[in-house]
Amino acid sequence: MFEYPLPHPEPPVEFEEILLTEAVIQKRVKELGEQVSKDYQEKDLHLVALLKGALVFLADFSRALQIQVTLDFMVVSSYISAKSSGEARILKDLELPIKGRHVLVVEDIIDNGVTLQAIMETLKLRKPASIKICTLLDKSEARKIPVKPDYNGFTVPNKFLIGYGLDFEEKYRNFPYVAVLKKEAYESH
Ligand code: IMP
Ligand code: MG
């Protein structure tokens, strides 16, 4: 259940529990930053973040890197409320070319894998020098399409999560921790 002292603001009643506290996330994000910095020491790294979910993770992760990087963003839609629509649509494409670049796609969470698979296929057609995936969360039990992250912060249970960039109907993205949303909260919608 909730950890004491309670984080501020107090968790809404729709939250079942806090799965990953702010401290736990921050520690892991630093580790990911160190690992990626080591692996890309000799390369020019280009981060491609999928908005909006990856925004908060990207902000912390990119600052945990000890190498120089460039950033670009893509807006993809695959989710309708708490249920996946099973397809990915590019709502906003990248601004910069990725041909010949070492690309690391930064995601908040991989769920059934449809979104990322579609994005990876599209991006590979543009001939990057390399392309890998870094996700904060991997809901591996929910996978329908075999997508494997090269870097993963946490493997999480197949529950609806919010906070640290993840939303439910656009709410809770700014919470510094990851919480489980009560089933009643999204099943009534
Ligand atoms: P996939 O195509 O099922 O892998 O969908 C991945 C996308 O769905 C993520 O980038 C999130 O935006 C969203 N998503 C998946 N699971 C959750 C969740 O538990 N909470 C909030 N958003 C989620
Ligand atoms: Mg997302």
mmCIF file of all heavy atoms in Angstrom, residues 112-151:
data_model
loop_
_atom_site.group_PDB
_atom_site.id
_atom_site.type_symbol
_atom_site.label_atom_id
_atom_site.label_comp_id
_atom_site.label_asym_id
_atom_site.label_seq_id
_atom_site.Cartn_x
_atom_site.Cartn_y
_atom_site.Cartn_z
ATOM 1 N N ASN A 112 1.443 -3.891 -25.430
ATOM 2 C CA ASN A 112 1.282 -5.019 -26.365
ATOM 3 C C ASN A 112 2.339 -5.009 -27.470
ATOM 4 O O ASN A 112 2.545 -6.014 -28.135
ATOM 5 C CB ASN A 112 -0.137 -5.081 -26.931
ATOM 6 C CG ASN A 112 -0.511 -3.835 -27.712
ATOM 7 O OD1 ASN A 112 0.302 -3.281 -28.424
ATOM 8 N ND2 ASN A 112 -1.751 -3.392 -27.566
ATOM 9 N N GLY A 113 3.006 -3.882 -27.645
ATOM 10 C CA GLY A 113 4.127 -3.816 -28.583
ATOM 11 C C GLY A 113 3.752 -3.281 -29.955
ATOM 12 O O GLY A 113 4.628 -3.043 -30.777
ATOM 13 N N VAL A 114 2.470 -3.064 -30.197
ATOM 14 C CA VAL A 114 1.996 -2.628 -31.518
ATOM 15 C C VAL A 114 2.608 -1.278 -31.912
ATOM 16 O O VAL A 114 3.133 -1.117 -33.013
ATOM 17 C CB VAL A 114 0.445 -2.541 -31.547
ATOM 18 C CG1 VAL A 114 -0.041 -1.898 -32.836
ATOM 19 C CG2 VAL A 114 -0.159 -3.921 -31.368
ATOM 20 N N THR A 115 2.576 -0.328 -30.989
ATOM 21 C CA THR A 115 3.083 1.014 -31.276
ATOM 22 C C THR A 115 4.550 0.962 -31.671
ATOM 23 O O THR A 115 4.945 1.463 -32.733
ATOM 24 C CB THR A 115 2.998 1.913 -30.018
ATOM 25 O OG1 THR A 115 1.713 1.759 -29.440
ATOM 26 C CG2 THR A 115 3.260 3.363 -30.354
ATOM 27 N N LEU A 116 5.341 0.339 -30.831
ATOM 28 C CA LEU A 116 6.775 0.355 -31.051
ATOM 29 C C LEU A 116 7.174 -0.414 -32.297
ATOM 30 O O LEU A 116 8.050 0.013 -33.041
ATOM 31 C CB LEU A 116 7.470 -0.224 -29.819
ATOM 32 C CG LEU A 116 8.832 0.353 -29.563
ATOM 33 C CD1 LEU A 116 8.832 1.865 -29.619
ATOM 34 C CD2 LEU A 116 9.352 -0.118 -28.227
ATOM 35 N N GLN A 117 6.519 -1.529 -32.534
ATOM 36 C CA GLN A 117 6.813 -2.328 -33.724
ATOM 37 C C GLN A 117 6.589 -1.491 -34.987
ATOM 38 O O GLN A 117 7.418 -1.452 -35.887
ATOM 39 C CB GLN A 117 5.922 -3.584 -33.733
ATOM 40 C CG GLN A 117 6.061 -4.450 -34.971
ATOM 41 C CD GLN A 117 7.465 -5.023 -35.124
ATOM 42 O OE1 GLN A 117 8.201 -5.156 -34.159
ATOM 43 N NE2 GLN A 117 7.833 -5.338 -36.352
ATOM 44 N N ALA A 118 5.467 -0.800 -35.016
ATOM 45 C CA ALA A 118 5.121 0.028 -36.171
ATOM 46 C C ALA A 118 6.146 1.150 -36.350
ATOM 47 O O ALA A 118 6.603 1.435 -37.457
ATOM 48 C CB ALA A 118 3.721 0.603 -36.004
ATOM 49 N N ILE A 119 6.521 1.779 -35.249
ATOM 50 C CA ILE A 119 7.487 2.884 -35.299
ATOM 51 C C ILE A 119 8.854 2.389 -35.738
ATOM 52 O O ILE A 119 9.537 3.020 -36.551
ATOM 53 C CB ILE A 119 7.588 3.558 -33.899
ATOM 54 C CG1 ILE A 119 6.274 4.241 -33.553
ATOM 55 C CG2 ILE A 119 8.740 4.536 -33.809
ATOM 56 C CD1 ILE A 119 5.687 5.059 -34.647
ATOM 57 N N MET A 120 9.262 1.247 -35.215
ATOM 58 C CA MET A 120 10.585 0.702 -35.569
ATOM 59 C C MET A 120 10.650 0.394 -37.061
ATOM 60 O O MET A 120 11.649 0.686 -37.717
ATOM 61 C CB MET A 120 10.878 -0.564 -34.752
ATOM 62 C CG MET A 120 11.076 -0.319 -33.274
ATOM 63 S SD MET A 120 12.432 0.824 -32.895
ATOM 64 C CE MET A 120 13.799 -0.319 -32.941
ATOM 65 N N GLU A 121 9.582 -0.169 -37.577
ATOM 66 C CA GLU A 121 9.552 -0.484 -39.018
ATOM 67 C C GLU A 121 9.675 0.787 -39.850
ATOM 68 O O GLU A 121 10.452 0.862 -40.795
ATOM 69 C CB GLU A 121 8.264 -1.222 -39.383
ATOM 70 C CG GLU A 121 8.405 -2.725 -39.199
ATOM 71 C CD GLU A 121 7.089 -3.461 -39.350
ATOM 72 O OE1 GLU A 121 6.195 -2.955 -40.052
ATOM 73 O OE2 GLU A 121 6.965 -4.534 -38.732
ATOM 74 N N THR A 122 8.915 1.789 -39.487
ATOM 75 C CA THR A 122 8.955 3.076 -40.204
ATOM 76 C C THR A 122 10.347 3.696 -40.132
ATOM 77 O O THR A 122 10.889 4.155 -41.138
ATOM 78 C CB THR A 122 7.947 4.062 -39.561
ATOM 79 O OG1 THR A 122 6.683 3.423 -39.538
ATOM 80 C CG2 THR A 122 7.847 5.362 -40.323
ATOM 81 N N LEU A 123 10.937 3.702 -38.940
ATOM 82 C CA LEU A 123 12.235 4.358 -38.775
ATOM 83 C C LEU A 123 13.362 3.596 -39.467
ATOM 84 O O LEU A 123 14.285 4.207 -40.006
ATOM 85 C CB LEU A 123 12.544 4.563 -37.286
ATOM 86 C CG LEU A 123 11.597 5.511 -36.537
ATOM 87 C CD1 LEU A 123 12.036 5.676 -35.091
ATOM 88 C CD2 LEU A 123 11.506 6.870 -37.223
ATOM 89 N N LYS A 124 13.277 2.278 -39.479
ATOM 90 C CA LYS A 124 14.328 1.474 -40.129
ATOM 91 C C LYS A 124 14.395 1.746 -41.633
ATOM 92 O O LYS A 124 15.465 1.693 -42.227
ATOM 93 C CB LYS A 124 14.097 -0.018 -39.875
ATOM 94 C CG LYS A 124 14.627 -0.467 -38.529
ATOM 95 C CD LYS A 124 14.330 -1.932 -38.265
ATOM 96 C CE LYS A 124 14.681 -2.290 -36.826
ATOM 97 N NZ LYS A 124 14.123 -3.586 -36.417
ATOM 98 N N LEU A 125 13.252 2.070 -42.239
ATOM 99 C CA LEU A 125 13.212 2.397 -43.669
ATOM 100 C C LEU A 125 14.052 3.637 -43.989
ATOM 101 O O LEU A 125 14.470 3.849 -45.114
ATOM 102 C CB LEU A 125 11.770 2.634 -44.129
ATOM 103 C CG LEU A 125 10.827 1.421 -44.115
ATOM 104 C CD1 LEU A 125 9.414 1.856 -44.487
ATOM 105 C CD2 LEU A 125 11.323 0.357 -45.087
ATOM 106 N N ARG A 126 14.286 4.461 -42.969
ATOM 107 C CA ARG A 126 15.071 5.690 -43.177
ATOM 108 C C ARG A 126 16.575 5.457 -43.021
ATOM 109 O O ARG A 126 17.343 6.409 -42.989
ATOM 110 C CB ARG A 126 14.585 6.775 -42.202
ATOM 111 C CG ARG A 126 13.104 7.065 -42.387
ATOM 112 C CD ARG A 126 12.615 8.134 -41.434
ATOM 113 N NE ARG A 126 11.160 8.185 -41.430
ATOM 114 C CZ ARG A 126 10.442 9.020 -40.694
ATOM 115 N NH1 ARG A 126 11.041 9.882 -39.900
ATOM 116 N NH2 ARG A 126 9.129 8.995 -40.751
ATOM 117 N N LYS A 127 16.964 4.195 -42.872
ATOM 118 C CA LYS A 127 18.375 3.778 -42.850
ATOM 119 C C LYS A 127 19.258 4.434 -41.783
ATOM 120 O O LYS A 127 20.312 5.029 -42.100
ATOM 121 C CB LYS A 127 19.012 4.022 -44.233
ATOM 122 C CG LYS A 127 18.264 3.378 -45.405
ATOM 123 C CD LYS A 127 19.009 2.163 -45.893
ATOM 124 C CE LYS A 127 18.463 1.570 -47.163
ATOM 125 N NZ LYS A 127 17.042 1.205 -47.156
ATOM 126 N N PRO A 128 18.882 4.317 -40.506
ATOM 127 C CA PRO A 128 19.794 4.775 -39.457
ATOM 128 C C PRO A 128 21.009 3.840 -39.392
ATOM 129 O O PRO A 128 20.915 2.686 -39.833
ATOM 130 C CB PRO A 128 18.950 4.653 -38.187
ATOM 131 C CG PRO A 128 17.921 3.612 -38.497
ATOM 132 C CD PRO A 128 17.645 3.714 -39.970
ATOM 133 N N ALA A 129 22.136 4.312 -38.859
ATOM 134 C CA ALA A 129 23.324 3.450 -38.705
ATOM 135 C C ALA A 129 22.997 2.321 -37.734
ATOM 136 O O ALA A 129 23.422 1.181 -37.905
ATOM 137 C CB ALA A 129 24.504 4.274 -38.204
ATOM 138 N N SER A 130 22.237 2.653 -36.680
ATOM 139 C CA SER A 130 21.749 1.638 -35.739
ATOM 140 C C SER A 130 20.492 2.189 -35.089
ATOM 141 O O SER A 130 20.277 3.403 -35.066
ATOM 142 C CB SER A 130 22.806 1.338 -34.666
ATOM 143 O OG SER A 130 22.939 2.439 -33.792
ATOM 144 N N ILE A 131 19.667 1.283 -34.592
ATOM 145 C CA ILE A 131 18.457 1.737 -33.889
ATOM 146 C C ILE A 131 18.153 0.779 -32.747
ATOM 147 O O ILE A 131 18.091 -0.433 -32.922
ATOM 148 C CB ILE A 131 17.257 1.919 -34.853
ATOM 149 C CG1 ILE A 131 16.030 2.474 -34.105
ATOM 150 C CG2 ILE A 131 16.907 0.633 -35.592
ATOM 151 C CD1 ILE A 131 15.011 3.144 -35.000
ATOM 152 N N LYS A 132 18.033 1.347 -31.548
ATOM 153 C CA LYS A 132 17.741 0.546 -30.357
ATOM 154 C C LYS A 132 16.612 1.197 -29.564
ATOM 155 O O LYS A 132 16.239 2.339 -29.836
ATOM 156 C CB LYS A 132 18.992 0.414 -29.494
ATOM 157 C CG LYS A 132 20.038 -0.474 -30.158
ATOM 158 C CD LYS A 132 21.135 -0.855 -29.215
ATOM 159 C CE LYS A 132 22.042 -1.857 -29.926
ATOM 160 N NZ LYS A 132 23.129 -2.296 -29.076
ATOM 161 N N ILE A 133 16.116 0.419 -28.598
ATOM 162 C CA ILE A 133 14.976 0.881 -27.796
ATOM 163 C C ILE A 133 15.373 1.002 -26.331
ATOM 164 O O ILE A 133 15.977 0.081 -25.778
ATOM 165 C CB ILE A 133 13.817 -0.138 -27.892
ATOM 166 C CG1 ILE A 133 13.335 -0.290 -29.334
ATOM 167 C CG2 ILE A 133 12.670 0.247 -26.963
ATOM 168 C CD1 ILE A 133 12.420 -1.500 -29.539
ATOM 169 N N CYS A 134 14.993 2.120 -25.720
ATOM 170 C CA CYS A 134 15.163 2.285 -24.276
ATOM 171 C C CYS A 134 13.800 2.633 -23.694
ATOM 172 O O CYS A 134 13.231 3.669 -24.004
ATOM 173 C CB CYS A 134 16.156 3.402 -23.985
ATOM 174 S SG CYS A 134 16.338 3.753 -22.231
ATOM 175 N N THR A 135 13.274 1.751 -22.860
ATOM 176 C CA THR A 135 11.968 2.015 -22.250
ATOM 177 C C THR A 135 12.106 2.061 -20.737
ATOM 178 O O THR A 135 12.918 1.324 -20.163
ATOM 179 C CB THR A 135 10.926 0.951 -22.671
ATOM 180 O OG1 THR A 135 9.639 1.340 -22.183
ATOM 181 C CG2 THR A 135 11.243 -0.435 -22.127
ATOM 182 N N LEU A 136 11.315 2.928 -20.122
ATOM 183 C CA LEU A 136 11.347 2.954 -18.653
ATOM 184 C C LEU A 136 10.669 1.707 -18.107
ATOM 185 O O LEU A 136 11.152 1.077 -17.179
ATOM 186 C CB LEU A 136 10.629 4.194 -18.114
ATOM 187 C CG LEU A 136 10.590 4.227 -16.587
ATOM 188 C CD1 LEU A 136 11.955 4.546 -16.004
ATOM 189 C CD2 LEU A 136 9.544 5.207 -16.081
ATOM 190 N N LEU A 137 9.520 1.350 -18.712
ATOM 191 C CA LEU A 137 8.730 0.230 -18.187
ATOM 192 C C LEU A 137 8.455 -0.797 -19.277
ATOM 193 O O LEU A 137 8.198 -0.442 -20.422
ATOM 194 C CB LEU A 137 7.389 0.748 -17.640
ATOM 195 C CG LEU A 137 7.427 1.910 -16.653
ATOM 196 C CD1 LEU A 137 6.021 2.412 -16.363
ATOM 197 C CD2 LEU A 137 8.119 1.496 -15.358
ATOM 198 N N ASP A 138 8.491 -2.048 -18.895
ATOM 199 C CA ASP A 138 8.165 -3.130 -19.828
ATOM 200 C C ASP A 138 7.056 -3.984 -19.209
ATOM 201 O O ASP A 138 7.261 -4.670 -18.218
ATOM 202 C CB ASP A 138 9.415 -3.986 -20.084
ATOM 203 C CG ASP A 138 9.156 -5.072 -21.114
ATOM 204 O OD1 ASP A 138 8.008 -5.195 -21.597
ATOM 205 O OD2 ASP A 138 10.098 -5.814 -21.437
ATOM 206 N N LYS A 139 5.855 -3.888 -19.829
ATOM 207 C CA LYS A 139 4.717 -4.703 -19.364
ATOM 208 C C LYS A 139 4.767 -5.985 -20.189
ATOM 209 O O LYS A 139 3.936 -6.195 -21.067
ATOM 210 C CB LYS A 139 3.443 -3.915 -19.674
ATOM 211 C CG LYS A 139 2.369 -4.013 -18.625
ATOM 212 C CD LYS A 139 1.087 -3.419 -19.159
ATOM 213 C CE LYS A 139 0.729 -2.098 -18.567
ATOM 214 N NZ LYS A 139 -0.580 -1.589 -19.078
ATOM 215 N N SER A 140 5.767 -6.810 -19.933
ATOM 216 C CA SER A 140 6.090 -7.909 -20.861
ATOM 217 C C SER A 140 4.981 -8.959 -20.981
ATOM 218 O O SER A 140 4.826 -9.571 -22.033
ATOM 219 C CB SER A 140 7.420 -8.559 -20.482
ATOM 220 O OG SER A 140 7.382 -8.973 -19.152
ATOM 221 N N GLU A 141 4.190 -9.146 -19.920
ATOM 222 C CA GLU A 141 3.085 -10.131 -19.972
ATOM 223 C C GLU A 141 2.021 -9.762 -20.990
ATOM 224 O O GLU A 141 1.258 -10.612 -21.444
ATOM 225 C CB GLU A 141 2.326 -10.178 -18.625
ATOM 226 C CG GLU A 141 3.017 -10.858 -17.502
ATOM 227 C CD GLU A 141 2.298 -10.523 -16.188
ATOM 228 O OE1 GLU A 141 1.047 -10.516 -16.163
ATOM 229 O OE2 GLU A 141 2.996 -10.259 -15.194
ATOM 230 N N ALA A 142 1.931 -8.472 -21.324
ATOM 231 C CA ALA A 142 0.855 -8.000 -22.207
ATOM 232 C C ALA A 142 1.243 -8.045 -23.682
ATOM 233 O O ALA A 142 0.452 -7.684 -24.547
ATOM 234 C CB ALA A 142 0.479 -6.566 -21.831
ATOM 235 N N ARG A 143 2.458 -8.525 -23.965
ATOM 236 C CA ARG A 143 2.971 -8.431 -25.327
ATOM 237 C C ARG A 143 2.185 -9.281 -26.325
ATOM 238 O O ARG A 143 1.938 -10.453 -26.096
ATOM 239 C CB ARG A 143 4.441 -8.841 -25.370
ATOM 240 C CG ARG A 143 5.134 -8.274 -26.574
ATOM 241 C CD ARG A 143 5.454 -6.778 -26.443
ATOM 242 N NE ARG A 143 6.771 -6.622 -25.875
ATOM 243 C CZ ARG A 143 7.000 -6.175 -24.649
ATOM 244 N NH1 ARG A 143 5.995 -5.773 -23.895
ATOM 245 N NH2 ARG A 143 8.212 -6.092 -24.193
ATOM 246 N N LYS A 144 1.790 -8.670 -27.454
ATOM 247 C CA LYS A 144 1.137 -9.389 -28.546
ATOM 248 C C LYS A 144 2.097 -9.527 -29.705
ATOM 249 O O LYS A 144 1.991 -10.425 -30.517
ATOM 250 C CB LYS A 144 -0.102 -8.629 -29.026
ATOM 251 C CG LYS A 144 -1.264 -8.705 -28.053
ATOM 252 C CD LYS A 144 -2.502 -8.056 -28.663
ATOM 253 C CE LYS A 144 -3.587 -7.829 -27.634
ATOM 254 N NZ LYS A 144 -4.341 -6.602 -27.922
ATOM 255 N N ILE A 145 3.017 -8.577 -29.829
ATOM 256 C CA ILE A 145 4.006 -8.577 -30.903
ATOM 257 C C ILE A 145 5.384 -8.614 -30.240
ATOM 258 O O ILE A 145 5.621 -7.854 -29.294
ATOM 259 C CB ILE A 145 3.849 -7.298 -31.769
ATOM 260 C CG1 ILE A 145 2.490 -7.368 -32.479
ATOM 261 C CG2 ILE A 145 4.983 -7.155 -32.772
ATOM 262 C CD1 ILE A 145 2.201 -6.181 -33.333
ATOM 263 N N PRO A 146 6.255 -9.519 -30.696
ATOM 264 C CA PRO A 146 7.539 -9.666 -29.996
ATOM 265 C C PRO A 146 8.498 -8.505 -30.204
ATOM 266 O O PRO A 146 9.293 -8.505 -31.133
ATOM 267 C CB PRO A 146 8.113 -10.972 -30.577
ATOM 268 C CG PRO A 146 7.470 -11.104 -31.908
ATOM 269 C CD PRO A 146 6.147 -10.432 -31.843
ATOM 270 N N VAL A 147 8.414 -7.492 -29.353
ATOM 271 C CA VAL A 147 9.348 -6.372 -29.367
ATOM 272 C C VAL A 147 10.154 -6.464 -28.082
ATOM 273 O O VAL A 147 9.561 -6.594 -27.008
ATOM 274 C CB VAL A 147 8.612 -5.006 -29.345
ATOM 275 C CG1 VAL A 147 9.573 -3.877 -29.639
ATOM 276 C CG2 VAL A 147 7.456 -4.997 -30.307
ATOM 277 N N LYS A 148 11.480 -6.400 -28.198
ATOM 278 C CA LYS A 148 12.307 -6.491 -26.992
ATOM 279 C C LYS A 148 13.108 -5.208 -26.812
ATOM 280 O O LYS A 148 13.824 -4.790 -27.718
ATOM 281 C CB LYS A 148 13.273 -7.674 -27.108
ATOM 282 C CG LYS A 148 13.055 -8.712 -26.000
ATOM 283 C CD LYS A 148 14.026 -9.861 -26.097
ATOM 284 C CE LYS A 148 15.307 -9.630 -25.346
ATOM 285 N NZ LYS A 148 15.339 -9.710 -23.933
ATOM 286 N N PRO A 149 12.973 -4.569 -25.636
ATOM 287 C CA PRO A 149 13.770 -3.364 -25.420
ATOM 288 C C PRO A 149 15.250 -3.708 -25.219
ATOM 289 O O PRO A 149 15.566 -4.745 -24.623
ATOM 290 C CB PRO A 149 13.183 -2.774 -24.141
ATOM 291 C CG PRO A 149 12.542 -3.910 -23.432
ATOM 292 C CD PRO A 149 12.108 -4.882 -24.486
ATOM 293 N N ASP A 150 16.151 -2.863 -25.723
ATOM 294 C CA ASP A 150 17.581 -3.055 -25.490
ATOM 295 C C ASP A 150 17.945 -2.568 -24.096
ATOM 296 O O ASP A 150 18.863 -3.081 -23.477
ATOM 297 C CB ASP A 150 18.364 -2.280 -26.559
ATOM 298 C CG ASP A 150 18.008 -2.779 -27.957
ATOM 299 O OD1 ASP A 150 18.565 -3.800 -28.357
ATOM 300 O OD2 ASP A 150 17.138 -2.160 -28.621
ATOM 301 N N TYR A 151 17.211 -1.561 -23.618
ATOM 302 C CA TYR A 151 17.376 -1.056 -22.256
ATOM 303 C C TYR A 151 15.991 -0.964 -21.630
ATOM 304 O O TYR A 151 15.078 -0.430 -22.250
ATOM 305 C CB TYR A 151 18.011 0.334 -22.266
ATOM 306 C CG TYR A 151 19.347 0.374 -22.959
ATOM 307 C CD1 TYR A 151 19.431 0.732 -24.308
ATOM 308 C CD2 TYR A 151 20.514 0.052 -22.272
ATOM 309 C CE1 TYR A 151 20.656 0.764 -24.955
ATOM 310 C CE2 TYR A 151 21.747 0.082 -22.916
ATOM 311 C CZ TYR A 151 21.813 0.428 -24.261
ATOM 312 O OH TYR A 151 23.021 0.460 -24.902
#
